[in-house]
Amino acid sequence: MPGMSEASEIVRALATAGYRLTSPRRAVAELIAEQDGHFTAAELQHVARDQEMGVSRATLFRALDLLVELGELERIGLPRGEHAYGPGARSHH
């Protein structure tokens, strides 16, 4: 299944850093792994809502911030004030 190894890497990074592997965090890892290239939080939120994953907006943003902090994602400022995310320096994508 495409993206599963990327999701596993994100989950492993969270576990290694000592974070709980909650269902919402696993869901966010799966969402990120399904993305091809850069993405925005709004795009992830839309997919999560369509797939009825039960991931709140706040949980999504906290997970993205945490993954940026861990180096798994890179945050890129966009001209209209929004952010895009992509593989970070420590990511194996």
Side-chain angles (χ1 to χ4, degrees), residues 23-45:
S23 293
R25 283 183 180 154
R26 288 180 188 271
V28 171
E30 290 172 17
L31 284 170
I32 291 169
E34 292 172 1
Q35 303 306 303
D36 186 22
H38 292 87
F39 56 88
T40 65
E43 291 167 345
L44 288 187
Q45 186 178 12

Side-chain angles (χ1 to χ4, degrees), residues 26-28 30-31 34 47-55:
R26 288 180 188 271
V28 171
E30 290 172 17
L31 284 170
E34 292 172 1
V47 173
R49 186 174 45 244
D50 286 353
Q51 294 181 9
E52 299 179 0
M53 298 179 89
V55 176

Side-chain angles (χ1 to χ4, degrees), residues 32-93:
I32 291 169
E34 292 172 1
Q35 303 306 303
D36 186 22
H38 292 87
F39 56 88
T40 65
E43 291 167 345
L44 288 187
Q45 186 178 12
H46 181 75
V47 173
R49 186 174 45 244
D50 286 353
Q51 294 181 9
E52 299 179 0
M53 298 179 89
V55 176
S56 73
R57 185 174 191 271
T59 296
L60 177 64
F61 276 94
R62 280 194 304 267
L64 290 172
D65 287 345
L66 178 57
L67 292 169
V68 167
E69 182 181 317
L70 293 176
E72 293 298 311
L73 290 179
E74 176 184 31
R75 182 180 301 137
I76 302 150
L78 299 177
R80 61 188 182 275
E82 198 175 18
H83 292 102
Y85 298 86
R90 290 184 16 190
S91 176
H92 300 282
H93 300 262

